[in-house]
Amino acid sequence: MDKVFSARIDESVAARINSLARQLHSTKKQVVERAIELFAAKVEHDQKSGFLEQSFGAWEREERAEETVDAARAAFRGSFERFRR
């Protein structure tokens, strides 16, 4: 089901949409829908890639796993101590 969507766009963008629609023998609606689908796919791909790039090497720590766990537990216990008083 189609939904009416209204937005203000620059005249040059509107002209480009019209030009692409004529060039591709399609409607402006199809041009806009396809552009949004392509953009959304790119954003999703970039976000997935960004996560991997951010997490590479996260497992390579100078401290042992036990030390990390002990520090986390101590911080957790400390947060309870603040509220007991």
Side-chain angles (χ1 to χ4, degrees):
M1 181 175 170
D2 288 346
K3 179 166 178 80
V4 175
F5 177 83
S6 178
R8 291 185 183 274
I9 59 174
D10 190 86
E11 286 183 36
S12 64
V13 174
R16 199 162 188 191
I17 292 169
N18 287 329
S19 175
L20 280 169
R22 280 193 306 273
Q23 182 182 352
L24 298 172
H25 304 291
S26 68
T27 64
K28 292 184 280 186
K29 174 186 179 244
Q30 289 171 327
V31 169
V32 171
E33 286 177 343
R34 183 67 181 137
I36 291 171
E37 288 170 5
L38 289 170
F39 181 70
K42 181 185 181 324
V43 168
E44 289 168 3
H45 177 268
D46 291 349
Q47 286 178 345
K48 288 178 186 173
S49 298
F51 170 75
L52 289 176
E53 289 171 4
Q54 292 172 10
S55 65
F56 281 156
W59 56 90
E60 295 177 5
R61 295 177 177 242
E62 292 186 17
E63 63 187 10
R64 296 185 344 262
E66 294 84 14
E67 294 174 35
T68 304
V69 170
D70 289 343
R73 285 183 178 158
F76 186 71
R77 272 190 237 105
S79 69
F80 278 107
E81 292 297 321
R82 276 190 303 200
F83 295 109
R84 262 191 213 171
R85 298 179 199 170

